[in-house]
Structure formats: C-alpha cells, structure tokens
Amino acid sequence: MANIPISSSELKTIVAGLHRLARNLWWSWDQEAQEVFHDLSPRCWQNLYHNAVAILNELSEYELRVRLQEPGFANRVRSVLDRFDAYVGAPNTWAAAAAPGLAGRPVAYFSAEFAFHETLPIAAGGLGALAGDHAKSASDLGLPFVGISLFYREGYFQQAINQENWQTEYYTELNPKNLPLEPVLDPEGKQLVCSVKLASSSVNFHAWRVNVGRVPVYLLDTNRPENEPHFRDLTLRVYGGDSTTRVLQEIVLGVGGVRLLRALGHAPSTFHMNEGHAAFLTLELIREKLAAGSTPADAGAATKAQCIFTTHTPVEAGHDRFSPELMSYAAPGLLADLRIDAGQLMDFGRVHAGDPRESFCMTVLALRFSRAANGVSELHGQVSREMWREFFGTTDADQVPIGHVTNGVHLVGWMKGTVRRFWRRKFQELNPGASDLDWIGGANSAEFWTKVTNPDVLSDEEIWSLRYRLRRELIEFARRRLLLQGHSLTRRDFITFDGFLNPDALTIGFARRFATYKRAPLIFDRFAEVVKLVKDTGRPIQFIFAGKAHPRDDSGKAYIQKVIHLSKFSELVGHVVFLENYDIHVCRMMASGCDIWLNNPRRPLEASGTSGMKTTSHGCMNLSIMDGWWREGYDGTNGFSIGEDSHSPDVHEQDRVDSENLYNALTREVIPMFFDRDGNGIPRAWIARIRRSMATLAAEYSTWRMVQEYTTKYYLGH
Ligand SMILES: *Cc1c(COP(=O)(O)O)cnc(C)c1O
C-alpha cells in the first residue's frame, strides 16, 4: 500500500476509530490490532497489562495525531480499522446461512461471570472463561446474541502469598473510564436505570456495555447513590459476601437482566442459563406473562418453552441452595409479583414439593423451567442424568432429559501472539489471497489443522523451534514474575531468579483453581521420586504451578501452601515454582510455553475442563485423567492418559491408584519420548504426537464447533 499523506479530516476519523477499536474486544483476538496498541507504548502495554483503553488515555490527543503522521503507522491503523469494519459488518456469516430465523431474535445468554481479557477481571475461573469464549465465537459466527452479567467493580480477588505460604486476598477497584466499557444510555442520552425488588426495598441499577466483536454483553451495576449502602455494594465482588449476598446478586442477574433486555427493546428467542446462578430469570418471564393475563399454568409452560439450561458441575457445593428463611427475607417481591405464597416459591426450587427439609436449589429451578438441559461433556451428561433422576421422577437415568455439549475454547483468542503470527503465515501460504474473515473460519476448521500438520507443509524442525521459542518466552515471563513476587529487588535476586527454570527441561504446567478435587499436589505423593526426576541432569523435568483458592476454601489454600512449601525445599528449588495471581494472561503464557499440561482431578468431578484445550494450537500436550473432555479427546496418539476410563468408588483407593498411574505415565511414556532425540537433536516421536494433538483436537474443541452445536441442537429447537 502506498503511503498516503494524512488529511486533518481523516486524522479525526482515525483517532475516533482507534477509540472505538479500544472499546471493542475484537482487537484482543486480532494480532495486527493488538500490535497497534502495543507499538503506541510498549512500556505501557506491559505496565498497564495490555489495556488498550488505558493506553489511549495515557497518550495525549496531540501525541496521537503526531504519531499518525508517520505514514507506515497510519497505514497499519487504516488497514486494521478497515478489517474491523469488515468484520463487524460481514453479511455472509455462518449463522446468516444456518440460522436465519434468529435474525432480530437473539439468544440471551446469562452468566454470573464472563472472562474476556485480563484487564476486566470479572470472573473466578473456567465458567467465566467458557462464557467469554461463547460470546466471542457467537460474534465470529454472526449469531444474534446478547450476554448478561454483573459489573463487579472490585472484580475477583488478587492473590498474594504471605510468609506462611498462605494465600491472602486483596481487591482493587476497577475504573470504568479505563476499561472497555460504555455506559448504557436511554433515548435522551442519560444513563438507563432499571430496578428490582430486593428484600423489602426497591433497588436501582444501571448497566455497562462490553462490545465483543459484533455482540454486546451487558453488566448490571447496583452502585447508585440513591440505593442504600449495602445494596450499592451488592455487585462489588464476584461471588463475594455470604449466601445473602449471593441470593440478592442472583435476583439482580436473573430478574434485573430480563428487565434490562426489555428496556433495550430486545425480544430474545431463547434465554440460555449458563449455570443455575441465572435461574431467577425464569420467574421474571412468568411474571411478564401473568401481567399480560396468562394463567399460571400457561405462563409456566410458555416460559419453559423459552429457556435452556447448562449445568456445569457434579460437585455438590457448585449448586446454590438457599434456606426458606433466606428466601423469605430476599424475595418478598417475587411472592407479590407471582401471586404465590412462600411455600409455593420454595417448591419451585425443590425436588419434592412441600418437603420442609429441602432448601431452594437454583439448579432445580433452572431444570423446572427449561425446555432442554445439558451437561458439558459426555461423561458429565451421564453423571448429571444420574444426579437428577428423582427430579424427573424416574429411577432410570436414561429417561432423564439432560443431554451434553462438550465445551470448547475460542481458539484464535487463546493463541499467544507468536503462535497467532505463525499460523496466520501458514494460512496465507496455503490460501493465497484469502481474506481476514477467511482466516478466522480457517483456523477453526479441521481441514486447516490436517493440512498444516502434514510434514510437507510444516517440518519437524519448525515445530521444534517454535516449541523452544514458546518455552523460553514462558520461562522469561516466570523469572520476571518470581522476581516481582519476592518484593525485594536486589541485584542478587536478579541473578537468583534468572537461574530458576531450565529452557531445555521438559516443562510441566498445572494451572487451575485450587479446588481440592483437582488435587494439585498429587504428584508429590511420590516426593523422593520427583526429586530424582528433577535432578536428572540428562533428562531434566520441571514444574510450574499457578492457581487461586476460593477465599473461604481453607483446604484449597492448604494445597497452595503445600506446593509452595515444597517448591522451597533445597532439592526442588528452581525446578518447581508457583506463580501468583493466576489469570487469563498467566494461563495463556503457561498453556503456550509448557510441554505438558497436567490435569489430575478426582474423576468424575471435572465436568469438562477447558484449559487443556488452550494448549493444542501451541504444541503443548495434555497428560490427563480420563475425565471431562479428555475422555472424548484422547485417542491414544494425541497426548497422554493417566489411567483408564474408569475409577474406584473409594476415594482413597482412587487417589492412590491415580498417583501411581501419573508417575508411571511420566516415567514410562512422557519423559522417555521427550528425550528420545535423533542425530539432529530432534524428538521425532514427540513431534509426531504434537501433530496428532493439533490435527485431532484444535478445531474439535473450539467454541466455533460448540456454538454451532448449541445453535443447531438447542437454539433452533424452538
Ligand atoms: C481456562 C481457564 C480456567 C479453566 O480451567 P480448567 O481447570 O481447565 O477448567 C480457569 N481459569 C482461567 C484463568 C482460565 O483461563
């Protein structure tokens, strides 16, 4: 492209375009867009944690205009903005062809958490990551879609580790001006305000709009001056406070979310509840119908026809339950609106109507008023059918109408920049003249991954050199993080931490929430053997851990303590490290740089798991218990399994067997294959396995496939 001098009117358009771009998260999965923000100030890019809005706020209007006088830079920005407009306006999307009936009747997707980007930390873990990826793929596919969640202005906690290796939590307030958020306005340009009844008060809320490519996600916020102080802080933190906070937050999410959609003029075709937290939306839909003159029976049936529900966990604590006393306190508004008494309300959330020992379960409410329900992997579907037999009045699990859609990830969004550039180049070589929109679809196709993993297209040497580069990038990131975690920056610390971790070692990553069923310290059941393995200078291995425990989960915190404690033993120091403050960015760094992604949950409690899916495009491989998605993904050639497709009913026996199988898989398969090098120093068998992992898993476990499956199976089923 020729360097066209920039006129002052065009300058204005480009500056406005950059601001629009910074407030649309599309930039975070478009490599050139990301590089524009990076290049405006590489130091701010790092220190402001990749926050495009904050970077633009850092630059004066004057600086920005001057920088755009550099023709090469102006050209790059022009081309990014053109592609952005093409993306947002593209008429020929998958959904336009496959689901034309949904035009103008979006899917409304309710989730208590969404993880989009590290600068908007309003999620606690995998549920949020899944919701964020669902929205991004809905955008890529052109699906009419609108998301609903809460704006937690203190987000999820930040993690620090104290002298006793114990997790402590701290919170920092988010500033909407520095975030990719826009206030939701009414037709007069004032902040749109809606209200819900909470306890005996009427509570107002406004909303923030997050632009996720083509789709909006609205975040509800009760922080308004006219609300009583405890209601202002209701949406302060993700899963913050006690069960009173929880039930009130969930009324805002469900009831308030429907009201906001109506105020914005939306008539969704389907309401999708991502986990039970959102289930109060069903009661608002019933209220609307009663107010319009329906009978209660018709209102219930019509609501059921509008809703679908995804359950995410077989872990008991994962299902919200509220006592009758709490419901009476929190929800008098629902009784009046629905013209029912407290007992009738409780029965909506009970398996057995009238049983006073049963609390109000949000999962039951969601199941009661959904036309379809699903688990998030084949095994989890099976386990859920077992779990909810009584609710459906049958002893035969096969009669329970709960299906499954296996989770996925937004593949391109999870790619590290290095890797996105790498595949983008390969894509262009294979498809000369293809457009940017073709790339998104291409990267999500099995065909691309089959082609590109052919040795004629991609050599072993190229894969191995990419692996080395990614491992080094992770190790350098980890050394810097460890240095900052130490809080004492002396010259000696630089030397010490730069000696940690070995770029030639087989690098094993474990990064997840420290829920106890995930068994983070399982490998250390064999402490003496692990010491031998990390000390083997001929075949060195090393471990990188990261993860947060829920603030009230002391057993999870004890697991963190154990891992950090062991990482300080002289035998392990520098070979086992714990990175604080696990989040999307840490996840991307680890899922790209590690060689092995370790997953050893107590089967069948990992309903799906998604972090392992983020590794495949990077050439990192899974070593996992046959639980959740891996039970479907593993085929004997595309990664490694720990044990068989079964488990002992006795948990102690299960832990013992799994720890033995983990050790055996490592020492008999993983380590020998990684270090089996040919005359050129290349581990041929290992790389063949990487090819299989890419070819069989990348496209299949993407939200591109998953959202298509939800659409054809469920969204169009009405
Ligand atoms: C992907 C992701 C998760 C989910 O991890 P799993 O344990 O595999 O379910 C959790 N937290 C963050 C920050 C993630 O990016």
Side-chain angles (χ1 to χ4, degrees), residues 115 124-127 129-130 133 409 414 511-513 517-518 582-585 587-588 597 599 606 608-614 629:
L127 184 71
L130 181 79
D133 285 5
V409 294
W414 279 105
R512 339 183 145 262
R513 286 184 303 116
Y517 78 84
K518 296 186 187 246
Y582 182 50
D583 69 358
I584 290 181
H585 181 54
C587 182
R588 183 182 289 106
W597 198 250
N599 181 39
E606 191 63 271
S608 169
T610 52
S611 57
M613 304 172 185
K614 300 166 188 168
W629 80 284

Side-chain angles (χ1 to χ4, degrees), residues 53-67:
V53 174
I55 287 172
L56 286 187
N57 289 345
E58 153 74 21
L59 268 67
S60 69
E61 181 88 6
Y62 184 74
E63 177 177 351
L64 199 54
R65 284 162 168 264
V66 173
R67 295 285 300 276

